[in-house]
Amino acid sequence: MTVNDDSFTSWKNREEIAESMIPIIGKLHREQDVTVLVHSRSLVNKSVVSILKTHRFARQIAGEELSVTETLPFLQTLTTLDLGPSQIDIGMLAAEYKADSRGLTVEEFTAEAVAGATGANKIERRDGRDVVLYGFGRIGRLVARLLIEKAGSGNGLRLRAIVVRGGGEADLVKRASLLRRDSIHGQFQGTITVDEANSSIVANGNTIKVIYANDPSEVDYTAYGIENAILIDNTGKWRDREGLSKHLRPGIDKVVLTAPGKGDVPNIVHGVNHDTIKPDEQILSCASCTTNAIVPPLKAMDDEYGVLRGHVETVHSFTNDQNLLDNYHKADRRGRSAPLNMVITETGAASAVAKALPELKAPITGSSIRVPVPDVSIAILSLRLGRETTRDEVLEYLRDVSLHSPLKRQIDFTTAPDAVSMDFVGSRHASIVDAGATKVDGDNAILYLWYDNEFGYSCQVIRVVQHVSGVEYPTFPATAV
């Protein structure tokens, strides 16, 4: 047998193992609200090849490949345990088991590592929480996809309605089509049908009422059977407490804004300050995509090295706020053609850091350049540190943060020497540290942080909504603090 034959046989064996994992992962998710992860990446509803690619990607962050032959025993053990709602990272279980020297069996080690999700310790499954989307643009449709994806167990967030302004003939069909197909993020994973008689879109069995209104004051959500809902405003039309309070109509309990909030509206970056949300707070903001991209790495660097001052330069994909061709715009430069120009503009991300990370006293400045790409941006974070360090030390620290810290869902890490922006479309992290581009000279560090300013940000929004709704379940093995 040749070397090529050996490689192909190995691949077929791993395919067979990955195929056997799919029904186990699906049953755990549907019946016990358990989400199976590999290094913070969900395996729920993934194909055979996707499962294998997720395992292979571990080499980018953990330094060596992870095989399904290593993780399968842990997955099989999970089926024997009395698990409650949780997220369980079998990649981390395999890595920690390999480093453990006590001679435990896989079954013994797994039972100990996930003890907080079993027996008397487990969280009881909660009733689903209604969610309403106000607006259905780029972020609204991606948030809708995520909500539908996460509705599999029936005990989490339930997208009940979308509120939009009437768009004329075939409006419902056109909106369903935009949800079904996306030029950047691809096809919707599932089926979508239109129920025009009931003004509804049915996506993977989820009936989503489409409500037409020109103003929040026109809607009584209880008339549609919606109660105690979280409303996600992705229009950006209202940003202060007074404006967003218009959404607190019958049936709505909380309002989450997908843009930077003004005045006393809390700006939340999940992973950094979501624990500061007061239980009775009804209005909050998820800040901006760029704020979400830079605040977690800023916190990580400040925790370890201290940050004395910093500057962030964002090279940002163009947005719907710009013009396709030169035309009037209220901003000085944004009227020029977005697909044809690099456009210098302002960013509020630097000033928003103070709201999300008040303990950071260092002055942070910022500016932005819009460039002719439709998605994925990069933040270049230049920092003056509190002590001298080396490039290797910083990279090893950030790699460890991406694997083991409370920020591992926010910060990803790549060593790929040929990575470009399109490689990060669909990333669920707030930002990805590009190891190859990182520069360190004494007490000066420059971090290059990729981020999917549409999808990665939408994932952060969902995490905030899960937190305030009480359906954000703990992750095991537990993260070191």
Side-chain angles (χ1 to χ4, degrees):
M1 182 177 285
T2 66
V3 173
N4 285 341
D5 288 337
D6 286 341
S7 298
F8 186 66
T9 299
S10 173
W11 170 261
K12 299 302 289 184
N13 288 339
R14 284 181 284 131
E15 270 191 325
E16 184 177 357
I17 292 171
E19 192 173 84
S20 73
M21 297 172 85
I22 291 174
I24 301 174
I25 294 165
K27 187 173 182 180
L28 284 169
H29 184 59
R30 285 192 311 275
E31 297 184 2
Q32 294 173 266
D33 249 2
V34 173
T35 300
V36 177
L37 313 170
V38 166
H39 290 312
S40 300
R41 290 164 169 78
S42 173
L43 297 185
V44 176
N45 291 329
K46 294 296 187 290
S47 67
V48 167
V49 172
S50 292
I51 290 173
L52 292 174
K53 286 181 68 175
T54 302
H55 279 71
R56 180 168 168 74
F57 186 79
R59 77 192 191 283
Q60 292 285 349
I61 48 179
E64 58 183 358
E65 278 195 40
L66 179 68
S67 172
V68 287
T69 60
E70 296 176 79
T71 58
L72 178 61
F74 297 94
L75 182 61
Q76 291 171 327
T77 300
L78 294 180
T79 66
T80 68
L81 301 175
D82 180 25
L83 290 169
S86 56
Q87 300 187 103
I88 299 180
D89 195 320
I90 57 175
M92 292 305 301
L93 282 174
E96 292 187 9
Y97 180 68
K98 188 182 295 185
D100 191 86
S101 59
R102 293 174 295 165
L104 300 177
T105 65
V106 167
E107 292 76 16
E108 291 168 338
F109 181 85
T110 304
E112 178 184 279
V114 303
T118 61
N121 296 323
K122 70 180 183 181
I123 298 171
E124 293 303 317
R125 300 180 78 179
R126 300 184 176 97
D127 292 335
R129 186 73 175 269
D130 290 353
V131 178
V132 172
L133 290 177
Y134 198 97
F136 205 46
R138 297 297 303 154
I139 299 301
R141 292 194 295 274
L142 291 177
V143 168
R145 285 187 174 202
L146 286 164
L147 288 168
I148 295 162
E149 171 194 300
K150 294 179 182 298
S153 68
N155 290 80
L157 302 173
R158 302 179 302 196
L159 178 56
R160 296 291 310 281
I162 297 162
V163 183
V164 293
R165 288 177 293 185
E169 186 178 353
D171 181 90
L172 197 62
V173 172
K174 290 176 181 177
R175 295 188 189 277
S177 179
L178 285 169
L179 180 61
R180 185 181 291 113
R181 303 177 184 87
D182 190 281
S183 299
I184 297 168
H185 300 282
Q187 297 275 349
F188 174 80
Q189 296 301 304
T191 63
I192 292 175
T193 57
V194 175
D195 181 357
E196 292 193 81
N198 293 298
S199 188
S200 297
I201 296 171
V202 182
N204 290 357
N206 298 270
T207 300
I208 306 160
K209 186 74 174 179
V210 178
I211 302 170
Y212 293 98
N214 293 315
D215 188 81
S217 62
E218 298 177 9
V219 189
D220 178 349
Y221 295 94
T222 59
Y224 303 95
I226 297 169
E227 300 283 353
N228 194 37
I230 298 172
L231 182 143
I232 303 173
D233 182 331
N234 56 91
T235 68
K237 184 176 181 180
W238 304 278
R239 296 194 179 190
D240 59 12
R241 188 172 296 275
E242 180 182 1
L244 292 168
S245 293
K246 295 179 179 181
H247 290 303
L248 293 173
R249 302 282 299 155
I252 302 299
D253 179 57
K254 294 181 186 294
V255 178
V256 175
L257 171 66
T258 64
K262 295 182 178 180
D264 67 342
V265 174
N267 279 245
I268 304 300
V269 173
H270 190 277
V272 175
N273 68 336
H274 65 278
D275 288 335
T276 66
I277 301 173
K278 298 175 182 177
D280 61 348
E281 178 61 73
Q282 289 189 288
I283 295 173
L284 54 92
S285 155
C286 290
S288 72
C289 56
T290 302
T291 303
N292 276 265
I294 66 173
V295 166
L298 260 176
K299 174 174 171 51
M301 293 297 286
D302 189 49
D303 286 347
E304 180 67 16
Y305 301 102
V307 172
L308 302 182
R309 66 172 179 266
H311 176 80
V312 60
E313 187 78 34
T314 68
V315 183
H316 199 291
S317 57
F318 62 75
T319 68
N320 275 332
D321 174 64
Q322 295 169 258
N323 293 330
L324 285 174
L325 296 172
D326 290 2
N327 208 345
Y328 175 81
H329 195 290
K330 63 181 180 180
D332 290 335
R333 305 183 201 239
R334 291 195 190 186
R336 302 298 296 278
S337 171
L340 298 177
N341 293 289
M342 293 189 291
V343 179
I344 297 174
T345 186
E346 73 284 345
T347 176
S351 59
V353 168
K355 274 193 166 186
L357 195 60
E359 60 268 31
L360 179 70
K361 304 304 180 185
I364 305 293
T365 58
S367 52
S368 180
I369 303 172
R370 296 287 180 91
V371 294
V373 296
D375 186 31
V376 180
S377 304
I378 191 166
I380 305 169
L381 189 58
S382 181
L383 303 175
R384 173 77 181 275
L385 304 178
R387 66 174 174 89
E388 292 193 354
T389 182
T390 66
R391 181 174 181 273
D392 287 346
E393 181 189 338
V394 168
L395 289 178
E396 181 57 29
Y397 169 64
L398 291 174
R399 186 192 71 82
D400 188 67
V401 166
S402 74
L403 284 171
H404 303 294
S405 82
L407 293 171
K408 65 184 180 182
R409 297 172 73 193
Q410 282 70 45
I411 300 175
D412 203 2
F413 188 89
T414 181
T415 58
D418 53 355
V420 294
S421 60
M422 285 300 289
D423 297 329
F424 303 102
V425 171
S427 169
R428 296 183 179 231
H429 287 77
S431 60
I432 305 101
V433 176
D434 191 313
T438 300
K439 303 183 187 307
V440 179
D441 182 11
D443 60 355
N444 289 293
I446 303 175
L447 307 182
Y448 285 73
L449 308 166
W450 298 102
Y451 58 109
D452 184 330
N453 48 278
E454 293 186 335
F455 196 73
Y457 175 68
S458 296
C459 290
Q460 282 287 88
V461 172
I462 290 294
R463 290 172 189 136
V464 171
V465 174
Q466 286 177 317
H467 179 74
V468 299
S469 68
V471 296
E472 183 182 38
Y473 300 134
T475 301
F476 298 93
T479 299
V481 178

